[in-house]
Structure formats: C-alpha cells, structure tokens
Amino acid sequence: MPNQKRRKDVRNIAIIAHVDHGKTTLVDALLKQTGAYHFKDGEATIMDSNPIEKERGITIFSKNASLKYKDIQINIVDTPGHADFGSEVERILRMVDGVLLLVDAFEGPMPQTKFVLRKSLELHLKPILVVNKIDRPQARPHEVVDLTFDLFCELNATDEQLDFPIVFASAKDGTATFDPADKPRDMKPLLETMIHRVLPPVADPAEPFQMLVTMLDYDSYIGRISIGRIVHGCVKVGETIALVKRNGDVKRGRVTKILKYQGLRRIEAESGEAGDILSIAGIDEVKVGETLAAAQNPVALKTIKIDEPTISMNFSHNTSPFAGKDGGRFLTSRHLRDRLQHEAMMNVGIKVEEVEGRESFKVSGRGELHLSILIETMRREGYEMEVSRPQVILKTMGDEVLEPVEEVFIEVDPGYQGAVIQALGNRQAELRSMQVSAIGTIRLEFLAASRALIGFRGEFLTMTRGTGVMYQNFYKYQKYKGALPHRQLGVMISQQEGPAVAYALWGLQDRGEIFIRPGEDLYEGMIIGASNKGNDLVVNAQREKKLTNIRAAGSDEAIQLIPVRDITLEFALEFIEDDELVEVTPKHIRLRKKDRNEHARRQANKRRLAA
C-alpha cells in the first residue's frame, strides 16, 4: 500500500534455526559488538537464561533483546527451534518484519529449520541467510547455500523471498563476512545487512493505539504483563485503554507501567509508539491473541492462529506412601490446579481441563517434549505429582476417526538403517525418502502416527548405539491407523515397603534390567525394573541371605551388580503403560502401578478383559 508510513529508526527481527546451530551464540556476539551487554568472565549464551535451557542447550522460551547500531534500534527475538514449541514461534513471527535464518556451514539445513522457515514464509517475511560456523573443519558454506535455496523452493517461497542476502559468520568468534575467503574481523557485515535488508515496521503514530498481545508475563508486584508490538498510535503511563477480547467484549483498564528492552534488561519508560516491542502492565484479564486498543476506538487486530495440542496427559497430586518426604512444598490438588491454570494463562500452547469425578487434570500440549519441560519446571519449583502415559488427541470428522501424524527425520551411521526401517515399519510408519548426506550418514524421512512414536526414542538410541539423531514435526491429521504394537517387556513390581537389598537385586538381575540401587526405599506397587518376559512379576527386593554356622571356602559367591539405568523423565514417560504412573518429586522420579495392591490389579485386569 503506497500510503503506509514506516518508522525508519527501528528494525524488528527474529532468529530462526535448527537446534544447536548457534542462534543464541549469535545474539550474544551481536550484543557484545554493539556494547549492549557487558559479559562476566566465563559467561556464555546469556539468552538461554532458564536453567533447563542451559542444561539441555536448547531454546524453549522466546526472549527479547535490543541493541543500537548507527542510531537504529534493532529488536531481536530468539525463537525456539523445536516443533513442540510451535505456539511460541507462531506468535513471535507476528511481531517482526524480517528473519535471520541461521544454518550450520557443515550440517546444512535440517528438519527443524524447515518447520520454522515454513511458518515465516507463510507470513511473507523476508529472510537473511546466515551461514554460521564457517570456522568448523570440513565446513562447506557454498554447498550449504545451494541446499538452503533448494529448501526455499520446496517450501514455495516467492521470487522476492528467494532473492535473500547471504552472510557467512562464526558466532563463536564474533565475526561475519560476505565472502568466506576473506578474513572477517567483526559482526558489522551482518549488522549492515540487517538495517538495509529488513523493512522498517509499518507504523503510524497519528492513528488510534492498537497492539496485539503475543506473549504474557507475570510479576507478583505489578500483575499480568502484556508483551507485543504496537501496530498503530502511541500509549502513555496512566492512560486508559481498551482490551478487546476474542469474543468481541470490550473491557477498560489503566496502564500502570511500560517496560522497554535495553540490551537484555527491561527498563521503565513513560510512553511507547508504533513499531516498538514493549511490555504493558495494568490490564489484568488479558490473554494471548487479544488486542489492546485506544479507549475511544476499540478495534481488534487479526488474532493469532495457534497450533492445536496433539498429546495429553493426566496430572494428579502425589498419592504414594513417600508423598511429602522428598522436599516437595506443594502437595495438594489445589496447589496443582493453581499452578496449571497459571501455566495455561501464560502458555497458549497448553490446555488444562479438570477430569470429572477425580482430583486430576488433563493437560494437553504440542508433544512429549512440551509437556516434559512443564513437568521438569514444576518439580524444580517444589511440586509433587503423578502423571499418566501420554495419549494422542483423536478427532472425528463425519464417520472417520483421525489421529495426528508426524514427519520423522532420522540420521544414522551406515549399517543401522535396516534396523531403524524395520522397527518403524512394525509401527506402521511410511518411508518417504532415503539418501546419503554429504558427511556419509544415512538420512531417512518417515510419516508415522504420533502414538507410534511414544516410547520409540529410547529404543532408537539403543538400536543405533546412541549415535542416531531423530527429529519429528507435526504433519497433519490422517485416518486412524488401527492397533499398534505395545511395549514388549513386563515390569518387576515391589511386593512390600522397605529398603532394597543388594543380595535380592543380585538374584533379580537375571530376569531383566534393574532401575534401583541397594538401600533405596521402596513401597508396594513401585516398579523396580523391566522383566525380560512379557508378563509383570511381583518380586521381593528386600530378601536377605539366610545366615548359617557352616563355612566353606568358595561357597559364597561375590555379589556383582550390573550398573542400573538412571530414570530420566523422558525415559519414564516413554516407558510406562496405561496402568502405570510416573511419580515426580523434587528429588526423585519413580515408576509405579496405578493400583499398588496386587489383588486390586488382578481385579481391575479381570474387569478390563470382561469389558
């Protein structure tokens, strides 16, 4: 539109990339170059501020940063690379006018790159290609540019989007260049490209105020905080504005605080104008996707389409005999309800429903990783809970039942592809392509039902001796594929309460894999290992060796225990069946049967078979 006004002193940019391609490191380098942040000794990846992000080395929550270059304010948003956090990506891309597409100079474009790039191209954003890690041995930057161009074509990019500028960088060294043959010195080539190739935001300060709420934050002192980009007009502290709800209702509130970004810090400001990305406090009932507007002209902006949840789990308070003994501070279902409702309010990708007739909550999300991050966060906050096996969310259209299907991308060393194809074939997955990558690995692409992939990751890592790489993206809903194979192993269940004894575990380890160590406290119904036979075994892990007064040289065998498997949250969620639960506390993750009593389990099994 020819009459559109643009604000020349601002650029709003998102960084999109595959996991571990260095986007967080690149933001750090830009902040260093412009002096927007002063690093402490040994500090790295400051954008990954959440402890779980630092441990896993991935970005989970979108974060904003701001820097100044040549009197132009560049607002940068670091977006998640995992498909499970699609709701975060969707919202962030609505706030920006351009994207930095970061690709590894050795690995090239990868599956998660495809997921986020598709979203940005659909929103007609123009990308800048940054080929990172050009200092890596065997880097092939020019070949990676060609592969990325092919990916753009595959995603139906427009001619304008295909004419993307290319910058070669080493984020770790803090350098960028237009030609990898040159010796780069700093990040100026990238900064120049950002201010010249990303359009200034469309912004008319003379029009009535409008802002789409794309994220929420919460502060115990100032309440709910709305984060977004002002599309039109201006806003000041103390001003009365309107909140336009999704259903068209209009509510009014007063702006108590405005916060802008300076480097990584949020600083208070008196006002904001069109083109700014900022935070507004004072509007308490706001939700993601709703519009803040001028009180005299409450007109809503186009709302955000959020990807629907595909996986659900039941959360309930901890009912095991060890409840409250592991340092948990929040133990009741009321605590759980309040925390989950707060999460659903802040995280638009999570949906929470109460289960009728039970003190439990059905929590739906975009995938196993999405929900496991929520569980891990809650346990660190001091919550104790029990969670059920993940279940896919089915849809009914007419007479047909539909289920979510995912694209699965696998990279394995030569020799393992046969076992992977067979294992996924048994789970009714469809092989779409198989090719040899530039580094000699085999790349496989499948379509598989989401429920077929629950529990597959652990089996896949065992099958490939821990060397395989697997990614998955939601594809679409397809016709229900019928019954799928279940876990082949049974479990060993503790018969009684008490500490585990090394002698008893030594006698049990021939029957399967053990999950517990000697001296660990057990209770009736707790799962202590996997049984090689398909059926469940109730075992006595407290049995001690009988003492006699007869001694003979060599008659006592030395007790040698095989190292036990560490129970991680991901393994636990993948391993359990429908009649089992994962008990999560701040100190332990345990597996247990829903019915702890053996007689109750037998009765429940009879009722299930009769039905």
Side-chain angles (χ1 to χ4, degrees):
M1 288 168 58
N3 295 330
Q4 281 185 333
K5 291 188 179 177
R6 292 187 179 272
R7 189 173 162 195
K8 301 284 174 50
D9 62 336
V10 172
R11 300 290 186 276
N12 295 319
I13 303 171
I15 297 192
I16 59 176
H18 182 80
V19 178
D20 202 32
H21 276 200
K23 62 182 180 309
T24 306
T25 312
L26 185 78
V27 175
D28 296 347
L30 292 170
L31 290 168
K32 281 183 189 173
Q33 172 83 43
T34 57
Y37 183 83
H38 297 291
F39 282 66
K40 300 167 192 155
D41 288 342
E43 188 173 22
T45 58
I46 44 171
M47 290 288 274
D48 282 346
S49 53
N50 182 281
I52 302 174
E53 293 179 316
K54 288 185 176 177
E55 285 169 24
R56 296 177 184 236
I58 63 171
T59 301
I60 298 166
F61 307 103
S62 313
K63 286 169 289 290
N64 299 350
S66 175
L67 51 95
K68 276 217 163 186
Y69 180 70
K70 291 188 174 178
D71 293 328
I72 292 174
Q73 181 167 321
I74 301 173
N75 295 318
I76 297 179
V77 189
D78 191 9
T79 62
H82 274 284
D84 280 14
F85 305 104
S87 56
E88 287 271 319
V89 174
E90 186 89 38
R91 292 177 279 154
I92 293 317
L93 294 177
R94 291 289 292 272
M95 287 203 296
V96 299
D97 302 292
V99 292
L100 292 183
L101 172 62
L102 200 63
V103 178
D104 189 299
F106 175 59
E107 293 182 349
M110 297 283 275
Q112 301 288 157
T113 319
K114 185 176 176 180
F115 160 73
V116 191
L117 180 61
R118 182 191 287 128
K119 293 221 176 245
S120 62
L121 294 177
E122 284 170 359
L123 291 167
H124 308 293
L125 296 173
K126 292 176 193 169
I128 296 170
L129 175 62
V130 181
V131 180
N132 191 28
K133 303 188 184 181
I134 57 169
D135 55 320
R136 278 186 73 171
Q138 299 177 296
R140 48 192 185 116
H142 293 297
E143 196 178 331
V144 164
V145 170
D146 294 339
L147 290 169
T148 308
F149 187 85
D150 293 343
L151 177 62
F152 272 71
C153 295
E154 186 187 329
L155 296 175
N156 300 318
T158 63
D159 291 345
E160 209 175 354
Q161 287 170 330
L162 285 170
D163 183 27
F164 50 81
I166 303 162
V167 180
F168 301 92
S170 169
K172 190 176 74 172
D173 297 337
T175 57
T177 178
F178 294 116
D179 185 348
D182 294 343
K183 190 166 171 128
R185 283 180 293 209
D186 52 31
M187 297 299 290
K188 280 185 182 173
L190 178 56
L191 288 163
E192 289 288 340
T193 307
M194 286 158 71
I195 62 173
H196 289 116
R197 295 300 292 261
V198 175
L199 288 171
V202 174
D204 190 348
E207 286 191 30
F209 169 66
Q210 277 182 308
M211 178 179 119
L212 186 69
V213 179
T214 48
M215 288 191 289
L216 289 175
D217 202 351
Y218 185 81
D219 186 283
S220 53
Y221 292 104
I222 59 177
R224 212 177 294 193
I225 301 169
S226 311
I227 303 169
R229 175 175 129 188
I230 300 178
V231 178
H232 295 302
C234 304
V235 64
K236 294 177 183 173
V237 173
E239 190 178 339
T240 299
I241 59 173
L243 166 63
V244 186
K245 308 286 284 180
R246 281 178 182 265
N247 60 7
D249 291 351
V250 177
K251 301 197 171 180
R252 283 173 171 75
R254 194 171 68 85
V255 178
T256 56
K257 222 169 227 187
I258 293 175
L259 302 166
K260 289 185 178 178
Y261 290 90
Q262 190 178 74
L264 287 171
R265 293 181 302 117
R266 279 203 293 213
I267 57 166
E268 288 193 40
E270 286 301 310
S271 64
E273 63 175 284
D276 285 336
I277 292 177
L278 47 69
S279 308
I280 293 177
I283 316 300
D284 282 339
E285 294 181 42
V286 65
K287 290 182 179 173
V288 169
E290 296 176 344
T291 302
L292 298 180
Q296 304 79 18
N297 189 40
V299 177
L301 291 162
K302 185 182 174 186
T303 191
I304 301 169
K305 175 187 168 288
I306 302 298
D307 290 337
E308 293 177 35
T310 57
I311 297 275
S312 70
M313 292 163 62
N314 283 354
F315 286 48
S316 57
H317 65 286
N318 190 4
T319 58
S320 90
F322 296 164
K325 295 180 181 179
D326 273 354
R329 295 181 294 128
F330 306 107
L331 309 174
T332 67
S333 55
R334 179 179 61 81
H335 286 134
L336 204 57
R337 179 190 291 107
D338 292 346
R339 178 63 179 83
L340 290 172
Q341 285 176 345
H342 177 78
E343 186 67 28
M345 177 185 81
M346 309 304 292
N347 184 346
V348 75
I350 293 280
K351 186 180 175 187
V352 178
E353 304 163 85
E354 292 202 30
V355 177
E356 204 172 321
R358 293 171 55 197
E359 290 187 342
S360 66
F361 308 90
K362 181 182 175 185
V363 182
S364 307
R366 286 290 297 161
E368 278 181 273
L369 180 66
H370 193 192
L371 293 176
S372 68
I373 292 291
L374 170 61
I375 296 166
E376 183 63 36
T377 304
M378 288 175 67
R379 76 181 281 236
R380 292 181 187 210
E381 292 170 355
Y383 287 84
E384 289 194 13
M385 70 200 99
E386 293 169 349
V387 294
S388 70
R389 183 172 189 251
Q391 301 282 351
V392 299
I393 298 170
L394 303 176
K395 280 184 178 179
T396 307
M397 288 188 71
D399 297 333
E400 277 194 335
V401 176
L402 306 178
E403 67 174 331
V405 170
E406 301 190 27
E407 294 175 302
V408 185
F409 303 92
I410 284 174
E411 192 160 333
V412 292
D413 291 332
Y416 294 125
Q417 69 270 27
V420 172
I421 292 169
Q422 184 179 353
L424 280 170
N426 292 339
R427 292 168 180 254
Q428 297 186 22
E430 172 194 333
L431 178 63
R432 295 174 83 192
S433 74
M434 180 168 76
Q435 57 192 39
V436 180
S437 73
I439 55 174
T441 57
I442 311 294
R443 285 186 179 174
L444 306 166
E445 188 178 333
F446 294 88
L447 277 185
S450 296
R451 64 195 168 96
L453 298 172
I454 294 172
F456 177 68
R457 191 176 293 273
E459 184 185 328
F460 168 72
L461 288 172
T462 305
M463 195 184 300
T464 60
R465 307 290 190 273
T467 61
V469 181
M470 172 177 155
Y471 305 100
Q472 54 203 80
N473 291 334
F474 173 70
Y475 180 58
K476 64 179 179 182
Y477 272 84
Q478 289 186 345
K479 190 176 176 183
Y480 188 73
K481 298 184 185 298
L484 291 170
H486 285 282
R487 182 180 73 199
Q488 301 299 309
L489 302 170
V491 291
M492 289 188 256
I493 307 159
S494 175
Q495 189 179 50
Q496 61 198 31
E497 196 166 321
V501 174
Y503 178 76
L505 297 180
W506 175 68
L508 291 172
Q509 64 187 8
D510 289 339
R511 299 189 180 190
E513 189 176 18
I514 303 295
F515 298 161
I516 57 163
R517 293 174 173 81
E520 203 168 311
D521 286 326
L522 311 178
Y523 55 78
E524 183 187 6
M526 181 172 158
I527 295 171
I528 66 164
S531 163
N532 290 334
K533 295 184 178 178
N535 57 320
D536 294 346
L537 298 173
V538 178
V539 298
N540 181 0
Q542 286 90 4
R543 185 168 65 92
E544 296 185 348
K545 185 177 181 185
K546 295 220 173 7
L547 300 176
T548 71
N549 59 357
I550 299 170
R551 292 185 182 182
S555 64
D556 287 346
E557 291 182 54
I559 293 176
Q560 291 185 328
L561 294 176
I562 298 167
V564 303
R565 176 190 283 273
D566 284 326
I567 302 295
T568 63
L569 184 57
E570 279 76 14
F571 168 76
L573 294 176
E574 290 176 350
F575 181 79
I576 60 171
E577 287 287 359
D578 292 339
D579 64 336
E580 297 162 1
L581 295 169
V582 180
E583 178 191 346
V584 182
T585 73
K587 293 181 182 173
H588 291 99
I589 292 170
R590 301 184 182 98
L591 306 179
R592 55 163 284 192
K593 287 288 184 180
K594 282 183 181 176
D595 291 312
R596 288 178 39 233
N597 181 273
E598 185 185 359
H599 179 69
R601 287 197 299 275
R602 284 181 179 168
Q603 294 297 320
N605 196 37
K606 280 181 185 174
R607 288 194 297 272
R608 184 175 58 81
L609 292 172

